[in-house]
Amino acid sequence: MNDILVLNLTRFGDLIQTTPLLRRLRTAYPGARITLAAQKQFSAILPLMRGFDSSIIFDQDAIVRSMNGEDAPIISYRNMEDFVCKLEENSYDMVINLTANRMSAYLVSLIKAGRIEGINRSEEHTSELQ
């Protein structure tokens, strides 16, 4: 296992509760590069967390603001596209999706991964999305 992505686009407390999982992944796969995807509004806690090598920040608030404001819809699209491009930059051996919603399931379907844990849009998991 060389590259692992942990997708946690949930609330602040949920992000903090990811720490034991990150430590366990680090123990189980000591040479792996672990990336944590988290929401921008909670990114200030990331330097205090251990067990991952890099992070990808999702600015959901900016997307919502641009959709609700006077900005052209293309601004929201470009913000989302930037995040998806960051997710697609690597091919992961494993993706762990801790965010249980349709958007994260769709995002996970765009990522190249050998193994996916958590909610996703694969054929065997489509019933979880209904």
Side-chain angles (χ1 to χ4, degrees):
M1 198 76 50
N2 295 321
D3 285 299
I4 300 170
L5 172 66
V6 177
L7 188 71
N8 191 339
L9 305 177
T10 56
R11 299 174 302 243
F12 185 73
D14 297 324
L15 183 59
I16 292 171
Q17 291 177 358
T18 304
T19 304
L21 170 66
L22 295 169
R23 284 196 305 245
R24 178 66 181 115
L25 287 170
R26 177 63 65 216
T27 300
Y29 308 105
R33 182 174 183 271
I34 300 172
T35 302
L36 175 62
Q39 286 198 55
K40 182 178 181 178
Q41 68 187 42
F42 307 130
S43 62
I45 193 70
L46 296 180
L48 302 175
M49 295 175 64
R50 301 285 185 257
F52 64 98
D53 302 296
S54 62
S55 60
I56 299 173
I57 303 303
F58 178 55
D59 195 349
Q60 180 175 333
D61 288 345
I63 293 169
V64 171
R65 275 192 311 273
S66 62
M67 286 174 27
N68 290 333
E70 295 179 14
D71 293 337
I74 195 70
I75 301 296
S76 295
Y77 173 81
R78 286 190 179 137
N79 286 337
M80 191 66 171
E81 182 181 42
D82 288 345
F83 179 66
V84 169
C85 286
K86 289 176 187 172
L87 292 175
E88 291 178 322
E89 284 178 0
N90 290 325
S91 176
Y92 297 96
D93 298 304
M94 180 168 46
V95 173
I96 302 171
N97 183 9
L98 301 175
T99 311
N101 63 33
R102 290 177 191 267
M103 182 190 67
S104 70
Y106 176 73
L107 290 172
V108 167
S109 74
L110 300 174
I111 301 169
K112 296 176 197 140
R115 177 177 162 193
I116 297 173
E117 298 293 336
I119 193 167
N120 63 76
R121 292 186 55 96
S122 69
E123 300 250 339
E124 66 270 12
H125 292 92
T126 52
S127 63
E128 292 179 31
L129 296 174
Q130 298 174 359

